[in-house]
Amino acid sequence: MKKKKLFAALLAVTLLGAAACGNHTGNIPWDEETPSPTEVPKEDGLKAYYELKTVENGKIKDLSGNGYDGTVFNYTGEKKTEKNGAVFLSDGAYIELPAEIFKGEDTLTVSLWLKSYSGSANTSAMFVGTTESLPISYWLLNPANPAGKLKSVLTDGESQYAPFNTEIGISPSDATKGIQGPVTDMKWNHYVTVITETELTVYLNGELVGTVAHTKKISEFGADLVAYIGRSSYLADPTYAGFCRELKVYTKALTAEEIKVEYERTTFETAKQTAVETDIFIADRADPCIHKGSDGYYYFTASYPMYGGADKEGYDRVILRRSETIEGLKDAEEIVIWDEKDDPKSFRYIWAPEIHEINGKWYVLFTASNEENNVWGIKCHVLACMGDDPYTDPWINKGIVQTMQGDTFSFRWFALDMTYFECNGKHYVAWAQTDGNSNVYLATINPEQPWKLTSFPLLLTKPEYFWEKVSIPVNEGPAVMVENGKVYLAFSASATGPEYCIGLMYADETADLMDKDSWTKLPEPLLTSEDLIGEYGPGHNSFVKDENGDWLFVYHSRDEKCYTKKCGYGGNDPLYDPCRSARVRKVQWDEDGIPILNR
């Protein structure tokens, strides 16, 4: 934290410092176990103040002494992993605040800390406005609009059928009526909106975002108002998912200096303390897989990308590299062992190939579409090598993985990301398949014909925690290692932006792996964007032992420049963004034998 000037320090103590946690002044770490005050000292212009640390009997208490307690709806107390006390909203939970806080007030400062798991969407973290399902008048704060940018807007006119077109401010729906906000991330961020009779000004983490003029006053919104944390009056919009902390509403315009002090007085969890920088291993290669063969070679394959939506050649082949060392794969020759244009069984959108040696023979499990140019027609397929050398011998396509008689579920719908492993003489495949959400399934196979299932599928994991449901509820990309008497199955979760992350399940090596009760799922992800430096969206990993017998995990992520839209493809649909690159890190282990991926 930067050292404050004397004036700033005095402001922190006299104006703002005492307001947060009783007798604490200066920097206030939220991860300390400090008692919640019943009321804070009076602060000039402070009309309502909520710590948002806990929900008690369906209420959140206003600590300003003005009696504006809020009511919490649909709050289930879902288990969460945040170490700091903070209210977590998801799955339709929201807080209604007394509208009297805002009625008739034309000058306001709203200060709120958020750690958003909503992703880039038309959601509202805070809303003050009218009650129509298309609200005519409102102020709305969205941490990340569909473009991933901070949005704070006022309606500056009236439209019954398209009120969003009257928005002015930061990232309004009509881009000509304001300025674009910055791209935000999933860390704790401090959002401040200052509204006067003529201007709306926004700050992010103590820094000015911008000021936009307006003509419609909040007092002109009328008397039939609602105020929410976590939703808006727009019934079609999803509710906010994420943590909330310290909402302050002032009936005055805080100065830039006061807002800076308000930001700097509070510290948060330091997720990056153990983070290390990881160089790109192979650029533009997503869904990476490294496998060590019995011939002593390391083999690398991955998805061959599309370079923008107009690229006619991407996602159309299976590539392969090999080397006697893992490091040598970085510069090894890359060859094409199969191309969809030469095979009528499978079409473009070749994703997530994995090379495996099964009973002494070579196979590639991969995803492909069953219909030309249909990205949603994908299923799990298998290639078989016709010789002993996967690098030089020909491959044939066995087609879609075949199911047991009576199995009407497996591969009936969108299915992808198949992996293989062996445990105690039994052979298994795991894959992701949609059934409303994308879930991970497990089945046994015949090792002599690994393109055939020999069991019905077991639903192994589905999205249930908040970090698995950002933007889209997803579990996919399973990968397995067997070590320490355990079977560890990693999987990727949420959409493929900054929210993409890696979770873990494990079972005893001797257990019945086709019994769901044999498996334990960790409630926290093992690797997230917050654990990384200069990269984001880690996911779809594979495991391999290095030359010293130590486990490595190979994963993909996007470079920081893609996050800030500076890579040349940042404006594309993520499907057509080639910037997911393979990286390699060493697996570490905790005292309980659980793998550590985030350091």
Side-chain angles (χ1 to χ4, degrees), residues 225 419 446 554:
L225 299 181
T419 193
N446 175 1
V554 191

Side-chain angles (χ1 to χ4, degrees), residues 184-407:
T184 53
D185 55 34
M186 296 173 66
K187 300 191 297 289
W188 277 110
N189 288 303
H190 185 217
Y191 301 87
V192 177
T193 299
V194 180
I195 303 171
T196 68
E197 292 187 357
T198 58
E199 292 181 331
L200 178 144
T201 303
V202 175
Y203 297 82
L204 176 65
N205 295 332
E207 300 296 330
L208 176 66
V209 173
T211 298
V212 178
H214 66 90
T215 60
K216 187 175 181 179
K217 303 174 184 177
I218 291 182
S219 61
E220 296 172 349
F221 284 4
D224 188 17
L225 299 181
V226 288
Y228 299 121
I229 302 172
R231 63 162 289 182
S232 73
S233 293
Y234 279 105
L235 292 183
D237 287 352
T239 53
Y240 168 79
F243 296 94
C244 312
R245 196 50 214 269
E246 272 209 353
L247 169 63
K248 289 186 171 185
V249 181
Y250 298 83
T251 55
K252 70 173 187 176
L254 292 190
T255 66
E257 186 66 29
E258 289 173 318
I259 291 167
K260 187 75 169 180
V261 172
E262 178 74 358
Y263 167 66
E264 291 187 342
R265 72 176 179 80
T266 307
T267 59
F268 301 89
E269 83 278 23
T270 52
K272 290 185 182 291
Q273 280 187 341
T274 58
V276 295
E277 293 191 55
T278 306
D279 293 333
I280 290 176
F281 183 67
I282 299 177
D284 300 353
R285 293 295 180 267
D287 315 317
C289 171
I290 297 179
H291 175 81
K292 187 174 185 181
S294 60
D295 57 4
Y297 283 106
Y298 286 97
Y299 291 88
F300 172 90
T301 188
S303 296
Y304 184 83
M306 287 181 67
Y307 289 87
D311 184 0
K312 302 298 184 184
E313 297 298 323
Y315 297 141
D316 65 346
R317 67 195 73 180
V318 175
I319 58 92
L320 191 64
R321 301 183 184 201
R322 77 172 174 185
S323 172
E324 293 180 345
T325 64
I326 290 178
E327 185 67 18
L329 291 170
K330 293 174 65 174
D331 300 314
E333 178 188 13
E334 183 173 284
I335 64 171
V336 177
I337 61 171
W338 180 85
D339 194 305
E340 58 88 24
K341 70 176 184 296
D342 301 322
D343 195 320
K345 293 190 184 71
S346 307
F347 295 92
R348 194 180 182 200
Y349 300 109
I350 311 301
W351 288 336
E354 291 197 6
I355 185 167
H356 292 279
E357 194 174 11
I358 304 173
N359 272 16
K361 297 181 180 180
W362 290 96
Y363 300 92
V364 169
L365 314 180
F366 69 105
T367 302
S369 182
N370 293 329
E371 304 173 29
E372 191 170 4
N373 296 320
N374 180 7
V375 66
W376 307 118
I378 56 175
K379 305 287 175 66
C380 300
H381 295 63
V382 174
L383 296 178
C385 183
M386 300 302 292
D388 296 327
D389 189 336
Y391 200 68
T392 59
D393 289 332
W395 292 78
I396 61 168
N397 185 5
K398 293 293 185 178
I400 300 173
V401 176
Q402 299 172 30
T403 62
M404 287 183 60
Q405 185 176 359
D407 180 359

Side-chain angles (χ1 to χ4, degrees), residues 456-474:
F456 291 98
L458 168 69
L459 172 58
L460 200 56
T461 173
K462 63 182 180 180
E464 52 189 316
Y465 297 103
F466 64 89
W467 48 270
E468 300 175 280
K469 299 187 288 186
V470 185
S471 297
I472 310 171
V474 168

